[in-house]
Amino acid sequence: MKYTRMALEAESPEEFGYGRIRNNLSESAIPDRKLGEFGLDLSDLTLCYGEHRGDPALRGQIARHSGSADIGPEDILVCAGAATALFVVATSLLTPQAHLVVVRPNYATNIETPKAIGCGISYVDLSFESGFRTDIDAIERAIRPDTAYISVTCPHNPTGTMMSWDDLLRLDGIARRHGCLVLVDETYRDLSYAEPYPTAASISERFVSVSSLSKAYGTPGIRTGWLITRDRTLYERFLAAKEQIGICGSVLDEAVGAAVLAQRDSWLARSNPRNLRHRDIVRDWMAGEPYMEWVEPAGGVVCFPRLKVDASFDLDRFYRSLLETHGTYVGPGHWFDMPRHYMRIGFAWLGEQQLRDGLTAISSAIREQMPESGG
């Protein structure tokens, strides 16, 4: 494994220093929550080795909220966050001799771990001009005899766009024809703007779904995620990988996770309308900002607009001024293997006024370089 640090992590607010940032638009989740919200008394929790597959109560909750009667607790492997689940999948299925088809842009782990393994990678790039629509035919053209799996996200990170259910079903047919698997990173599933799709792993044994409690539930600090597969042989391979990485998860984290999901329906009923109000704030700003354009998101709490500027626009100066002068931080395009005139904006982590302030700061940093500004 030839590891290199991901720009998204090396330049994260945690690494950069939250004290330097007033308006943090780089976060891709809802606001972080406090332990006291869940009314837990864990004083009698025994700090033993946990169930290797994950706490049964937590797995039961995940299964009940999967949207499919075909998914049971036995199909779920709890991991230390979605990042570990993705690592388990990649290291279990890929070798330097294997091949991967990955839709790009994508969450960095879905690309960087395969790079570290040294496998062949074919990218199917989404384009702004096509509304970041996933080209299913292009995915099939990219498949080779040694393709291990196809990697997609739905809802998509960083654009917030959604594949259709019919397109996911088409991927099932493609995977069957070519003898490969489909990995669906559905970390934003519970942040869909309409009724969420059933977990993609319910489609067939060709699918592996990955999700977590970080984005929709405001609990990234408990490091609780999972993968789902209905393939028993594949499940055992993933379990072996988890055991060799860390044996089991934290019984403390998983107990909190079960409490989080016990409140799922009431929480999402309060949280998701707020996310939509914040999305609408961004929509209104985009409508009045001539130097930005976007594809409006259909799910999640992020969008991926781009600057409408010419080649003379100094992107280094823009990002530097945005932070140092205006105290505002966004996720630049290079975090996602994209040009830096794209940026990911997270619109749910901040309060409404800070969101407005951050968007105003972007406009101000742009105009510092426009001819009419004299800058």
Side-chain angles (χ1 to χ4, degrees):
M1 299 281 286
K2 298 180 179 179
Y3 292 109
T4 58
R5 293 198 73 191
M6 298 179 288
L8 178 145
E9 303 300 347
E11 301 173 14
S12 67
E14 299 89 350
E15 290 287 291
F16 214 63
Y18 282 108
R20 301 175 63 184
I21 304 168
R22 290 195 304 276
N23 307 309
N24 185 1
L25 300 179
S26 71
E27 297 290 350
S28 56
I30 67 163
D32 301 324
R33 299 164 73 189
K34 295 186 181 300
L35 185 61
E37 295 181 38
F38 304 105
L40 286 173
D41 179 2
L42 299 177
S43 57
D44 288 333
L45 180 68
T46 301
L47 301 180
C48 57
Y49 284 109
E51 160 63 50
H52 292 194
R53 293 161 180 78
D55 176 69
L58 176 58
R59 288 188 289 127
Q61 292 276 16
I62 295 166
R64 281 193 291 278
H65 298 307
S66 69
S68 172
D70 293 326
I71 301 298
E74 69 278 3
D75 302 316
I76 294 159
L77 181 66
V78 177
C79 300
T84 300
L86 294 172
F87 185 85
V88 165
V89 172
T91 55
S92 298
L93 300 179
L94 298 174
T95 67
Q97 293 74 43
H99 175 253
L100 167 70
V101 177
V102 60
V103 171
R104 185 175 61 177
N106 210 313
Y107 177 60
T109 297
N110 286 316
I111 295 175
E112 294 303 326
T113 302
K115 281 184 180 179
I117 292 168
C119 70
I121 305 176
S122 293
Y123 298 105
V124 175
D125 288 327
L126 305 180
S127 74
F128 185 95
E129 288 71 23
S130 67
F132 294 127
R133 181 183 60 82
T134 303
D135 188 335
I136 304 300
D137 293 329
I139 289 175
E140 183 159 25
R141 289 193 298 270
I143 290 176
R144 303 190 324 208
D146 55 353
T147 299
Y149 64 92
I150 301 161
S151 176
V152 301
T153 69
C154 184
H156 187 259
N157 182 12
T159 69
T161 55
M162 291 276 291
M163 295 177 64
S164 70
W165 187 251
D166 285 344
D167 278 349
L168 288 169
L169 295 177
R170 286 183 64 194
L171 288 180
D172 183 44
I174 291 170
R176 291 181 184 279
R177 284 195 295 275
H178 296 278
C180 62
L181 300 171
V182 182
L183 169 66
V184 182
D185 181 342
E186 52 187 34
T187 303
Y188 290 93
R189 174 175 168 263
D190 281 338
L191 292 171
S192 299
Y193 297 163
E195 184 67 23
Y197 294 157
T199 183
S202 66
I203 295 174
S204 80
E205 294 181 354
R206 294 280 174 183
F207 280 73
V208 178
S209 293
V210 167
S211 192
S212 83
L213 295 179
S214 297
K215 305 302 183 182
Y217 296 93
T219 56
I222 63 172
R223 307 310 304 135
T224 302
W226 57 87
L227 62 83
I228 307 176
T229 176
R230 294 162 59 196
D231 184 316
R232 304 321 307 160
T233 300
L234 200 56
Y235 186 99
E236 288 298 312
R237 189 188 307 180
F238 292 154
L239 175 59
K242 177 190 174 180
E243 289 171 331
Q244 292 177 45
I245 292 168
I247 304 176
C248 63
S250 159
V251 294
L252 183 61
D253 287 359
E254 292 182 7
V256 177
V260 171
L261 278 184
Q263 300 178 2
R264 174 187 182 272
D265 293 343
S266 61
W267 170 251
L268 294 178
R270 297 196 310 273
S271 178
N272 282 351
R274 173 187 179 275
N275 300 336
L276 287 173
R277 291 195 300 273
H278 283 222
R279 187 276 314 269
D280 291 345
I281 290 171
V282 181
R283 175 196 282 158
D284 291 344
W285 172 70
M286 289 293 307
E289 177 45 78
Y291 297 114
M292 295 286 291
E293 57 187 345
W294 75 337
V295 174
E296 185 172 318
V301 289
V302 295
C303 58
F304 202 54
R306 67 182 183 184
L307 290 155
K308 291 172 61 178
V309 294
D310 60 32
S312 66
F313 189 87
D314 189 335
L315 290 166
D316 289 334
R317 178 185 167 192
F318 165 75
Y319 284 113
R320 185 169 58 250
S321 174
L322 185 62
L323 177 61
E324 296 178 359
T325 303
H326 301 282
T328 298
Y329 203 47
V330 297
H334 72 266
W335 284 10
F336 308 97
D337 276 1
M338 291 288 284
R340 294 179 75 235
H341 66 288
Y342 287 88
M343 67 185 74
R344 187 182 71 180
I345 295 176
F347 49 79
W349 193 76
L350 292 176
E352 180 177 320
Q353 188 56 54
Q354 279 187 295
L355 172 62
R356 294 183 186 277
D357 291 346
L359 298 174
T360 298
I362 294 172
S363 294
S364 297
I366 294 172
R367 277 160 181 76
E368 289 172 0
Q369 294 193 55
M370 293 296 111
E372 63 268 24
S373 72

